[in-house]
Amino acid sequence: MSYEDSVKKVEDIIGQLNGGELPLDKAVEAFKQGMNELESCRKALENAKMTVKDAGGSGDE
């Protein structure tokens, strides 16, 4: 799944959780899924940062 797809999935999960319509067990499962997607996003950003740094950039921008 691409970074953009993961971000969209997290946004969808946030919308579901904010809607307050999910039963508790489904909300907890959605929260866990969202956390997993956020970790995937974090890793993708870290990989991109390292790629930029390896290419000669500072990676801080």
Side-chain angles (χ1 to χ4, degrees), residues 3-60:
Y3 172 80
E4 291 79 8
D5 290 340
S6 289
V7 169
K8 175 68 174 135
K9 187 150 186 87
V10 169
E11 289 172 346
D12 291 344
I13 290 169
I14 290 169
Q16 290 174 357
L17 292 171
N18 282 337
E21 298 295 320
L22 291 176
L24 181 59
D25 61 331
K26 298 285 186 188
V28 170
E29 191 57 39
F31 177 80
K32 288 179 185 178
Q33 185 178 14
M35 293 303 291
N36 288 335
E37 291 298 332
L38 284 173
E39 181 63 16
S40 294
C41 290
R42 187 197 64 75
K43 287 179 182 178
L45 288 173
E46 187 63 31
N47 287 339
K49 181 179 175 181
M50 294 305 292
T51 298
V52 168
K53 189 173 181 178
D54 290 346
S58 69
D60 291 331

